[in-house]
Every structure is written in C-alpha cells, then in structure tokens.
Amino acid sequence: MRIGVLTGGGDAPGLNAAIRAVARRAFERGIQVTGVKNGWAGLLQAGDLDELTPASVRGILPLGGTILGTSRTNPLKEKGGVEQSLALLRGNGIDGLVAIGGDDTLSVAAAMSEAGYPVVGVPKTIDNDLSATEFCIGFDTAVGVVVEALDRLHTTASAHHRVMVVEVMGRDTGWVAMVGGLAGGADMILIPEFPLRLGEVEQHLHRRRGEGKDFSIIVVAEGVKMQSGDGTGSGPAAQPEKRDAFGHVQLARQGVGDALSTQIEELTGFETRVTVLGHLQRGGSPSPIDRIWATRVGVAATDLLAENKAGLIPVRQNGEVAIVPLREVIRETRRVPESLFRLQRIFG
Ligand code: F6P
C-alpha cells in the first residue's frame, strides 16, 4: 500500500509533527508514503511529488512551517481540477491521501472523498474554527505568541501611559484574540462574534483612566468590523478587499488595528500605538500541545487509511481522539461562545 500526504492553506506550527506522525506510522505498518508538494497545487498539471523516507522525516518534530510546502490552490476552482488530481494520485499508485488542513483544504478533501477516492483529513488552523473538534494544529502555538507579545507590550504601555492596540489573526472568528487576550491579561478584547461600538471602547478607556489605570491593552481580531459611535457606520476598516482562491478576503489588508488606534486617539486624546502580530503567529517551533496532538491525529489518520476507512477525520472531543465524517468539521464555523466573552469583560 502507498499513501500520499499534503499540507494545504496557511501554514501552522505543528504541520511537520503531523507529517512525521503520518509517515512514521505508515512505515511501521509497511506502507509507503508520497509527499505531495505545495498543497493541492502538487496534484495539478504534471504534479509535484516526493518520496518520503525515514530519513526525510527525521528531525522535523520541532520545526515550524511544512517540509512539503503549502498553497491556497483550490482544485474545485480549476476546470476538471478534481478529476486531474485523482488521475495523478491513481497514476502514481497512491491508494489513499491524508490531507492536513483547515476548512478550505478539507472541503476539497471531502469533495474528493465523495468522488470515490479514499481521503482522510487532519485538522489544522491557527484560527481554531473547525466544528466538531476542540483542537486544531497551530492554535496553541499562535496563542503563545500573542501572550508573549502582550507581556512585552504591558511594560512599554505602562512606561509611556499609552493605549496599545494589538491586532491578531483568526479570520472570521475571535479564538486567537479571546484565548490569547485572556491569557495575556488584555483589558479589552474585540472579536467578530460580539461587535462593539467605538463609543463603548471610548467609554471603557475613559473609565480606566478615571480609576487611575493609566494604560490599556486592547486586542482586536483582524476580522472585526467596528461600528461607529452611534452604531450607524460600518467602522474604521478602510482598505479595498483582496480575495484568495477560496474567496476569503485578506483581512490583514483591511487594517482594523491601525484604523482603530487612529480613531481611539482622535476620540480620547490618549496616546495610542498599534502592533500587528501578523505572520509571527504562524512562525516558529510548535508548542508541546501542538506537537502531541499533531502526533496523535497524524497516527490516527494513517490508521484509518490502513484499515480502508475514508471520508473521515480524527479530531479531539472531550480530550480524546474521536473519528468523525470529514463533512462534520466543515459543517459550520466554530465561534467563540458568549461565556468566554462575558468572562473577559470582568477583567477590563
Ligand atoms: O487561516 C489562517 C490565517 O492565518 C488567518 O488567520 C489569516 O487571515 C490568513 O490565514 C492569512 O493568510 P495569508 O498567509 O495568505 O496572508
């Protein structure tokens, strides 16, 4: 038996740990492994495949990025893209595929599975927004980066008595902002799930000053659409939209953090600075939690294919590995619950 493995979408710390787990389990079971380069792009045109060996997956557990490369290529958008990919897999004697990715990559995996080819998934995204799983590879490390940044920003904010606005990733959800902000002691966390008006931000900052707190840290998720003070406007985000192959707006270009800090300074007169954490959140070595879970779900994914089970994905439910249909994790975007939003408000 031979299986393929690919990583698609934005990279995340822990991808190499997952590739290693898929491959090591396969070698242990006498299965050969082909690495598909650069996500779904490696299955289009002439293809871009690489034999994985015990040597090629050695020493990669602590490495960020992905040894296979990744891309946001979408075969569902290419004419005959799925058929071409399946022909390439079959033509290279690949009996099944492990697709490591978030909702975009896994939506292609589900389509291939429904077209009759054995595909299993592995959940990855720093955004942590897949449904049916408590864990996505990369989230824990990204949260760690936010926490370290907030610890550092606290000292400089306090020294200058400033407002610091920190823009974090997360696409249309506020998981990275909420969990990172809670752990890093942010005074206010703005997330797409619970929109706040600029007037509320202004009031909050004045209240803190009134209480003798002469600096503030505000975490804002990149996907936030702020409303104007009277609730009528569409908010400060300013730049024109640019979309990727899956139709997602490139939110970093919207510049919500920058626009928010300008508005805060105008409304309050408090000196304000912005830090956009950007791709720092995706770089570097994975945390122990990301390494361990990438290992557990990677091994489970190989086991599924080895046992001729497909159209499935190992996830974490109640702290354990559970197996659910691929469609289940992309059924809806998992959003931050109100309980966490309310919890954070206590610490403003
Ligand atoms: O989905 C992961 C993510 O990091 C989002 O949080 C962010 O909006 C997007 O990818 C950025 O994508 P790119 O790396 O293509 O700029």
Side-chain angles (χ1 to χ4, degrees), residues 287-308:
S287 68
I289 288 181
D290 276 326
R291 295 182 195 196
I292 289 166
W293 273 93
T295 302
R296 291 185 72 175
V297 288
V299 166
T302 295
D303 284 346
L304 286 171
L305 286 180
E307 289 153 22
N308 295 317

Side-chain angles (χ1 to χ4, degrees), residues 233-250:
S234 61
Q239 303 304 313
E241 289 186 355
K242 190 159 191 273
R243 290 176 186 268
D244 67 20
F246 286 88
H248 299 296
V249 174
Q250 287 183 13

Side-chain angles (χ1 to χ4, degrees), residues 126 138-149 175-181 183-184 281 290:
I126 68 155
F139 174 64
D140 187 66
T141 310
V143 164
V145 173
V146 174
V147 174
E148 189 192 337
W175 285 104
V176 179
M178 181 52 70
V179 179
Q281 294 159 99
D290 276 326

Side-chain angles (χ1 to χ4, degrees), residues 72 125-127 169-171 222 279 282:
R72 294 198 187 276
T125 166
I126 68 155
D127 303 338
M169 283 186 168
R171 193 152 274 161
E222 62 178 0
H279 292 82
R282 299 224 307 250

